[in-house]
Amino acid sequence: MPADGSSPVLLDGDEWQACFREVKRSAFRLEVHQTYTMPAEAKAVRDFLAGASLPEGFNAPWHQTVREHTAAGRAMTRAKIVCRPLTPYSRYLFEWCIPGNVAAGEDYRIVDVTERPNPGLPEQDFWLFDESTVVHLNYRPDGTQINRELIQDRDISTYLAWRDLALENAVPFSAYRT
């Protein structure tokens, strides 16, 4: 429950999709978990782990969203915290997901905390839209998403600072991968 005692505002369906449709300048995501257990990805993760080839058109709707935003001058940025050895899910991201996102125009960066402490980033996934709207992505310990919660606090300076800290401590995916 929010600190002011009001009920949380949970986003799903069209309300959630509207966050991406209505981006005016930028969207930033901080990914902190090493494993996500998303039902929509279950088959793809199983196929990847079984050694299948990347399917034709994989993740095409997201790539189209990224291309549209970047073509219009809107930044799509993500920072992922990783710790080696990579989990099977992170290997899936690195091989099947992130390269296509980067090719579509997403600025995807890696914060590796294997040999150094976390620089002060939270243990909370979030999206930051247009430097004004924050949505927490809440997960169980196994990586199953619980919900998406609109943060109603008008002072989002902490999230802006976390974004900046993540980017200061990150390397572009292409540089990290090599």
Side-chain angles (χ1 to χ4, degrees):
M1 185 172 293
D4 65 3
S6 63
S7 297
V9 174
L10 303 180
L11 301 178
D12 204 5
D14 192 60
E15 287 180 321
W16 172 237
Q17 295 304 315
C19 291
F20 294 95
R21 282 194 311 271
E22 297 170 5
V23 169
K24 303 286 187 258
R25 294 177 307 282
S26 64
F28 169 82
R29 168 142 183 215
L30 179 65
E31 292 182 349
V32 304
H33 297 283
Q34 302 307 297
T35 298
Y36 295 93
T37 309
M38 305 298 290
E41 288 184 319
K43 182 183 181 321
V45 173
R46 279 193 311 273
D47 290 350
F48 167 77
L49 294 174
S53 298
L54 180 66
E56 181 76 27
F58 181 78
N59 215 4
W62 176 248
H63 297 158
Q64 183 62 33
T65 297
V66 171
R67 280 192 293 275
E68 288 171 3
H69 282 305
T70 56
R74 296 182 288 268
M76 300 293 287
T77 308
R78 195 178 313 224
K80 172 150 185 60
I81 297 174
V82 300
C83 187
R84 289 176 274 123
L86 296 178
T87 63
Y89 183 85
S90 289
R91 289 192 344 262
Y92 157 75
L93 284 181
F94 274 52
E95 295 298 321
W96 277 22
C97 301
I98 300 172
N101 293 2
V102 170
E106 188 170 357
D107 180 5
Y108 211 115
R109 301 181 188 199
I110 304 298
V111 180
D112 190 325
V113 296
T114 303
E115 297 175 0
R116 64 183 174 138
N118 180 318
L121 295 169
E123 293 183 17
Q124 174 67 58
D125 279 54
F126 66 87
W127 275 99
L128 171 63
F129 298 99
D130 293 326
E131 298 185 336
S132 62
T133 302
V134 175
V135 177
H136 279 185
L137 305 175
N138 298 313
Y139 295 90
R140 292 183 182 88
D142 72 352
T144 304
Q145 190 172 70
I146 301 167
N147 58 34
R148 297 176 206 94
E149 179 183 354
L150 178 66
I151 301 305
Q152 297 178 41
D153 188 344
R154 291 287 172 217
D155 180 7
I156 62 162
S157 59
T158 301
Y159 295 94
L160 295 168
W162 282 334
R163 178 206 54 200
D164 295 346
L165 185 62
L167 296 176
E168 288 167 16
N169 285 277
V171 297
F173 175 73
S174 59
Y176 182 81
R177 194 166 184 205
T178 59

